[in-house]
Amino acid sequence: MSVPDQVLSNYDLEKRGDTSDEWIRTRTGIQERRIAGESTTTSTLGTQAALNALRDAGISPQAVDVIVCATTSGDYVWPSTACLIQQGIGASHICAFDVAAACSGFVYALDLGAQYIESGRAETVLVVGADTLTKQLNWEDRSTCVLFGDGAAAVMLRPCNPDEGLLATSLGADGGGAELIWVPAGGTKTPISQCVLDKKLNTIQMRGPEVYKFAVKVMGEVAIDALSRCGLTGADVDLLVPHQANIRIIQSAAERMGLCPDRVFVNVERYGNTSAASVPIALSEAVEAGRIQRGDIVVLVGFGAGLTWGANVIRWNRDESGHTKAESTTKDLE
Ligand code: UT7
């Protein structure tokens, strides 16, 4: 994973007025978040996360066959952030593209990456989740500006036994909810204009309570559906790694799945909602904290703009106790 150094706490936001640590903490569980400075972008965070993943896996950038980057806050309207990451890590001129499914992006991208391997089209796939949504915030809108943070994380996928690795995925989308959480302008329908800038339509707009209701319903449901696709239930889950948007949404999903809190990974208090990076950052920290062992059933679950939602069921097949970070990539960022 890779997150910016700059920490913005609830108390910092409180000083700007119109909100309080108490409100943010009790309604969302967030205490602080990381903020990308001017020179830090989605691709620089994604590239650093990718280099860390390559180093951790002991894989050379030249061995990567496909790069999939989940993001909705790319450096440019186009080209894709995945292409910038390809250049940044010094990979060969392989296939690289973005997946835009907002906060569900990593869950979507992981499924896509795994399909390259299952079909035999690729041996080594790099899947990145990266977003810098704080650059798309209206800092005068207290209903959104307290929620988001920046970051990236990445995984390396390789072939494994059929009863290990990614066992099942369930994905969904409902464009009828496109306007519940969106950036209305800056695309081809409503290009940037003075009027757009004056009305701040190039920033994130959200109908929070409606997204909340959708999230509470869909998180548990999609996780249970993914589990049922591989003959499992909530009782089989060793660790749930949910999208870190709001502690109350996470708790209700866990409840729906019949999971006690010690089987749910939470880090929303330190990063806020990092969109497509949220699930892989949580996964990275769960591995680092020794919360995942070889053979464990791990469920990743997300929801977000689109509307989109999805869950992956994984039987973890890496021996974390034995893993070494000694192998280095051919290139490291400053
Ligand atoms: O990846 C998907 C991203 N989106 C989400 O996950 C969002 C899902 N939604 C939520 O998490 C919650 O709806 C929020 C945390 C955004 C809001 O919590 P809520 O309990 O639904 O609050 P609310 O929007 O109903 O607002 C309650 C009150 C309002 O005041 P009044 O009208 O009751 O006087 C808001 O104006 O809280 C006020 N409020 C705030 N007060 C202090 C809204 N934002 C703030 C704030 N600080 N930052």
Side-chain angles (χ1 to χ4, degrees):
M1 61 179 274
S2 172
V3 291
D5 292 335
Q6 193 192 333
V7 176
L8 184 72
S9 72
N10 291 352
Y11 296 106
D12 297 326
L13 286 165
E14 199 172 80
K15 279 184 221 140
R16 298 181 185 187
D18 214 21
T19 190
S20 66
D21 168 62
E22 204 266 336
W23 191 95
I24 303 168
R25 226 175 348 93
T26 54
R27 301 282 177 136
T28 71
I30 301 166
Q31 295 174 23
E32 60 185 39
R33 69 286 291 142
R34 301 300 182 97
I35 306 289
E38 240 170 67
S39 62
T40 301
T41 67
T42 299
S43 80
T44 62
L45 291 169
T47 298
Q48 186 60 63
L51 288 169
N52 294 345
L54 286 160
R55 184 189 57 211
D56 198 30
I59 294 172
S60 141
Q62 282 76 42
V64 176
D65 298 314
V66 177
I67 300 173
V68 188
C69 178
T71 187
T72 35
S73 57
D75 292 22
Y76 308 115
V77 174
W78 46 268
S80 72
T81 298
C83 287
L84 305 179
I85 293 173
Q86 177 273 329
Q87 168 74 8
I89 65 173
S92 315
H93 294 163
I94 39 101
C95 156
F97 60 93
D98 287 355
V99 167
C103 304
S104 314
F106 185 79
V107 173
Y108 268 64
L110 188 71
D111 185 52
L112 199 49
Q115 289 186 49
Y116 269 97
I117 290 179
E118 283 163 22
S119 66
R121 295 279 300 276
E123 274 271 308
T124 305
V125 178
L126 167 63
V127 181
V128 185
D131 267 312
T132 50
L133 288 198
T134 71
K135 293 177 190 260
Q136 297 181 328
L137 286 172
N138 171 4
W139 289 97
E140 283 154 25
D141 176 7
R142 67 177 183 174
S143 71
T144 53
C145 77
V146 302
L147 303 176
F148 296 95
D150 302 325
V155 297
M156 304 302 311
L157 302 181
R158 298 294 299 268
C160 63
N161 296 327
D163 59 347
E164 292 184 322
L166 183 61
L167 302 180
T169 292
S170 176
L171 301 174
D174 174 12
E179 297 181 10
L180 292 186
I181 171 165
W182 63 329
V183 178
T188 49
K189 183 170 179 180
T190 313
I192 299 290
S193 64
Q194 194 54 51
C195 171
V196 160
L197 296 176
D198 292 344
K199 292 184 176 163
K200 298 196 186 320
L201 295 176
N202 57 327
T203 63
I204 296 170
Q205 325 273 317
M206 183 175 72
R207 306 219 295 259
E210 285 164 78
V211 176
Y212 186 92
K213 274 186 217 132
F214 146 74
V216 161
K217 181 171 178 302
V218 84
M219 278 264 270
E221 269 178 20
V222 74
I224 289 167
D225 183 54
L227 282 162
S228 74
R229 287 172 191 233
C230 52
L232 301 176
T233 70
D236 299 302
V237 177
D238 294 295
L239 194 68
L240 180 71
V241 181
H243 173 41
Q244 309 282 320
N246 185 317
I247 188 67
R248 294 185 292 145
I249 296 173
I250 293 173
Q251 282 164 348
S252 83
E255 220 165 273
R256 203 174 269 240
M257 293 174 68
L259 297 182
C260 51
D262 67 340
R263 287 197 285 156
V264 183
F265 191 83
V266 176
N267 63 5
V268 68
E269 69 281 3
R270 283 176 291 122
Y271 301 112
N273 181 346
T274 56
S275 194
S278 146
V279 168
I281 286 176
L283 181 63
S284 172
E285 290 206 329
V287 168
E288 205 54 42
R291 296 278 300 271
I292 299 176
Q293 305 302 327
R294 187 172 191 143
D296 280 358
I297 294 293
V298 179
V299 175
L300 313 184
V301 61
F303 66 91
L307 299 169
T308 54
W309 57 91
N312 315 116
V313 182
I314 299 162
R315 187 183 299 281
W316 201 257
N317 65 333
R318 187 157 176 255
D319 186 359
E320 296 306 335
S321 56
H323 86 264
T324 166
K325 291 185 174 175
E327 301 102 331
S328 64
T329 54
T330 54
K331 192 170 175 207
D332 256 313
L333 285 183
E334 292 293 352

